[in-house]
Amino acid sequence: MKSIYLFPNKLKIPALVVFIISCILISLQFFESSLTDNLELNMKVFAIISNPFLDSENTGNFRWIENNMFEELIETLFFISGIILVFSKQKIEDEMIGLIRSKALTYTTYLIFTLLIISEFLIYGMAFGYVIMFFYYAFILFLNLFYYTKLYMYNKQFSYENED
């Protein structure tokens, strides 16, 4: 079987730390906590499309705008660390772990697209845009959840077999 590229195992712990911190910050940001109100990283960025609500100064296409990049930074760290967590080598990487990783990716894809299709018929208007954004985060969360749950069950079963 042709192997896929995996990240080194030594990236797993730093990715986990960054993933947990970014999850906490995204949750605080989502619930509009006063803790994240003061965290701003304002800078000029190039925007292909910019249409902020009630801000005609930063509206337009293909132009430089002033934007708080804190949200984008947290979200980027969330996605990158989530991908690194799932696609990092285990200390002992065998074919079963590769199969678990593949199944987790398949199950997550099925689940997210099933929920997306159901949402097409039940959620309308601007709320559907928020649901689409939620599915980006849910994909990474469910991928990690499915992978590490199955990996835990596999390791537990394997440890019982070695005790006999």
Side-chain angles (χ1 to χ4, degrees):
M1 181 166 95
K2 187 175 181 178
S3 64
I4 59 171
Y5 174 76
L6 296 173
F7 295 103
N9 182 272
K10 64 183 176 184
L11 293 178
K12 191 174 284 281
I13 298 299
L16 179 63
V17 171
V18 171
F19 187 73
I20 291 171
I21 291 171
S22 61
C23 281
I24 291 169
L25 289 173
I26 286 172
S27 299
L28 290 173
Q29 179 183 0
F30 178 74
F31 294 113
E32 297 181 8
S33 171
S34 61
L35 295 173
T36 59
D37 287 343
N38 296 331
L39 300 174
E40 290 188 4
L41 187 61
N42 291 321
M43 60 178 59
K44 280 211 173 271
V45 293
F46 184 75
I48 295 174
I49 299 172
S50 177
N51 191 12
F53 186 69
L54 297 176
D55 185 8
S56 61
E57 182 181 316
N58 284 327
T59 301
N61 300 335
F62 298 102
R63 59 182 294 186
W64 290 92
I65 63 167
E66 184 77 25
N67 191 33
N68 179 9
M69 294 300 291
F70 182 70
E71 294 174 3
E72 286 79 2
L73 180 64
I74 293 172
E75 292 165 2
T76 302
L77 291 173
F78 171 80
F79 290 122
I80 291 172
S81 62
I83 293 295
I84 290 173
L85 268 177
V86 171
F87 294 106
S88 290
K89 289 181 184 176
Q90 296 295 318
K91 287 185 180 178
I92 301 172
E93 186 77 28
D94 60 7
E95 290 167 358
M96 187 62 183
I97 292 175
L99 181 65
I100 292 170
R101 188 177 285 116
S102 175
K103 281 186 175 184
L105 187 57
T106 304
Y107 293 154
T108 302
T109 304
Y110 287 162
L111 175 67
I112 293 298
F113 278 96
T114 301
L115 293 174
L116 181 61
I117 291 168
I118 291 169
S119 298
E120 286 279 348
F121 296 102
L122 298 175
I123 301 170
Y124 301 97
M126 191 59 188
F128 186 70
Y130 296 128
V131 169
I132 296 288
M133 287 175 54
F134 166 75
F135 285 139
Y136 287 128
Y137 299 105
F139 188 85
I140 297 294
L141 290 172
F142 283 124
L143 183 58
N144 278 286
L145 181 72
F146 289 160
Y147 174 65
Y148 283 103
T149 302
K150 286 288 194 184
L151 188 63
Y152 173 76
M153 291 174 8
Y154 170 70
N155 287 335
K156 191 172 182 180
Q157 176 186 4
F158 186 69
S159 68
Y160 285 138
E161 289 176 1
N162 284 343
E163 289 178 359
D164 293 336

